[in-house]
Amino acid sequence: MNAPSTLATTPARPRTRMRDLPAKMRPTDPTKLRLAALRRFAVGITILNIAGHLFLGFEQTIAQLIVVVLTCYVTELAVETLVAARDSRRPGYLPDADSPSRRTRVLTLVNFLLAAHISGCALGMLLFVNDRLDLFVVAAVVAISSKYLFRVRARSGDKHYFNPSNFGITVVLLLFADTVSIAPPYQFTEYLGHLGQVALPAFLACIGLFINFIFTGKLPLIFAWVGGFTAQAAIRAFFDEETSFLASIAPLTGMALLLFTLYMITDPGTTPRSKLGQVEFGLSVAAVYGTLMAFHVAFAFFFALTIVCACRGIGMWMANTAAWQHHTGYGRLRSNVAELQRRSSNVARQSGVGSPMELVDEQARRSR
């Protein structure tokens, strides 16, 4: 007769669900989470720029890319130094330790410049100004300066509400409309053939969706923007016989709008955190875009994002103002009540009762 087996069965490892991936891969510390997202965005956009100039056929020159990125670095460091001196604090590019190592100093500087690097690469990839360098300098200075000029107080401290690279593009498009344009869509897939024209956008879409799913949590915003874009195309085609639905929705499949959807409109620092806020933000950008397109405004998605960010910043400022007025009004009310209590206490003492409550008790005894 065989003896029963004494080996303990190991419990089955629970399967990881898709919805649990962000919690497992996303850092819990907000600072580390921000750095993780910035590092991945920076690496991705750097690789895309290098590949674009070497293999894809970018129309900009390498000198323009270098100039705009370096200008972003210099502007970020200069403005941060001035603001830190004004606020009597340590600049963000310096470590907190009193005697940091060289590695710590370099790592702190690199982490600080990640956002400026992303903005510079975006400007160098999306703007087209022939062979001029000065307009890239203007766009870089405007983009980085907007982070320090247009700020509003939030729960986590002061924050900027304009997407830097998008704001820089919008300003130079408005100021230099006869000279500045957006890079042509064909530059991303010009030399890739039919297979590459599908493979590269699909690859960038997968990477962008993964980063936004894990590190930024902006998928609701992306879906709301895409859904709103489709809705505005259908509405425009319904009310305007000369507008084709397929032609109106076709830009969504282009590289420029793909990069805008996955890597610009989802900027964590200038978009809402809540799911409802993200949906409202994405739908608002789509609605403004459709309105601008109805008036035949070129490059409408850049202007739409700038307008919605401006409205959001104004709304946050008005909410802060109302909260401050409520707080100060409540404070004045409390001070007035305290003053009335003090005066009534003085009157009660002079009448020989002692305090307002004692006066009430005395009145109650008399009534009985």
Side-chain angles (χ1 to χ4, degrees):
M1 188 173 181
N2 296 330
S5 176
T6 58
L7 295 177
T9 58
T10 58
R13 180 176 298 178
R15 297 176 59 184
T16 301
R17 298 180 180 180
M18 183 65 67
R19 65 184 181 184
D20 298 331
L21 278 179
K24 291 181 174 295
M25 302 182 64
R26 183 187 300 165
T28 56
D29 185 9
T31 303
K32 294 182 179 180
L33 177 62
R34 177 180 178 272
L35 283 178
L38 286 176
R39 287 169 180 171
R40 284 156 178 81
F41 276 120
V43 170
I45 199 169
T46 301
I47 294 175
L48 181 58
N49 272 273
I50 294 175
H53 286 282
L54 294 179
F55 309 109
L56 301 181
F58 276 17
E59 296 291 341
Q60 301 88 349
T61 64
I62 297 179
Q64 290 173 333
L65 175 63
I66 295 175
V67 166
V68 71
V69 172
L70 291 179
T71 304
C72 286
Y73 289 168
V74 173
T75 305
E76 187 84 58
L77 293 172
V79 179
E80 172 65 15
T81 301
L82 294 176
V83 172
R86 182 199 66 184
D87 298 340
S88 300
R89 62 173 176 82
R90 189 191 300 267
Y93 53 82
L94 296 179
D96 296 332
D98 295 332
S99 56
S101 62
R102 179 180 300 177
R103 180 180 181 276
T104 302
R105 291 196 298 267
V106 172
L107 187 61
T108 303
L109 178 62
V110 170
N111 290 336
F112 175 78
L113 291 176
L114 284 175
H117 179 81
I118 295 172
S119 297
C121 288
L123 293 172
M125 179 175 60
L126 295 175
L127 282 178
F128 180 72
V129 292
N130 293 322
D131 58 348
R132 296 182 62 173
L133 295 175
D134 55 340
L135 295 184
F136 277 99
V137 174
V138 173
V141 173
V142 169
I144 301 302
S145 300
S146 68
K147 296 168 55 177
Y148 296 88
L149 292 176
F150 303 102
R151 303 183 70 85
V152 65
R153 185 170 297 279
R155 293 181 179 178
S156 57
D158 290 350
K159 60 180 299 183
H160 61 284
Y161 51 88
F162 279 119
N163 183 294
S165 53
N166 182 80
F167 187 79
I169 292 174
T170 301
V171 170
V172 294
L173 284 175
L174 290 174
L175 296 180
F176 309 99
D178 297 334
T179 306
V180 178
S181 180
I182 299 300
Y186 63 78
Q187 74 171 13
F188 295 94
T189 56
E190 184 177 7
Y191 302 121
L192 295 181
H194 295 290
L195 180 60
Q197 292 177 1
V198 177
L200 180 61
F203 175 74
L204 293 177
C206 292
I207 296 297
L209 289 173
F210 175 78
I211 293 177
N212 284 289
F213 175 60
I214 298 297
F215 297 101
T216 67
K218 299 298 181 180
L219 288 187
L221 193 155
I222 294 175
F223 294 147
W225 154 249
V226 173
F229 189 95
T230 306
Q232 64 83 28
I235 293 173
R236 288 167 49 213
F238 179 79
F239 287 101
D240 188 357
E241 296 180 355
E242 298 181 357
T243 301
S244 170
F245 172 73
L246 294 179
S248 299
I249 203 174
L252 195 60
T253 62
M255 281 294 300
L257 205 55
L258 176 67
L259 295 174
F260 175 85
T261 301
L262 298 175
Y263 299 95
M264 183 173 288
I265 197 177
T266 58
D267 178 25
T270 57
T271 54
R273 293 184 178 181
S274 65
K275 293 182 179 179
L276 179 60
Q278 292 182 43
V279 172
E280 293 175 348
F281 189 89
L283 293 178
S284 299
V285 176
V288 175
Y289 170 83
T291 304
L292 295 176
M293 288 299 297
F295 289 95
H296 308 287
V297 177
F299 314 122
F301 51 91
F302 293 111
F303 295 115
L305 180 56
T306 300
I307 292 172
V308 173
C309 286
C311 293
R312 179 171 178 263
I314 293 173
M316 295 172 66
W317 178 81
M318 293 177 63
N320 290 341
T321 303
W324 179 81
Q325 291 177 349
H326 175 75
H327 177 72
T328 55
Y330 180 69
R332 286 195 298 267
L333 179 62
R334 292 188 61 184
S335 63
N336 292 337
V337 171
E339 179 66 18
L340 289 175
Q341 290 179 346
R342 185 183 65 80
R343 292 181 180 180
S344 61
S345 298
N346 294 335
V347 173
R349 291 194 199 94
Q350 293 175 2
S351 62
V353 177
S355 70
M357 292 304 298
E358 293 175 354
L359 183 62
V360 172
D361 294 339
E362 179 65 22
Q363 185 67 29
R365 284 195 298 269
R366 290 180 182 180
S367 63
R368 289 196 297 267

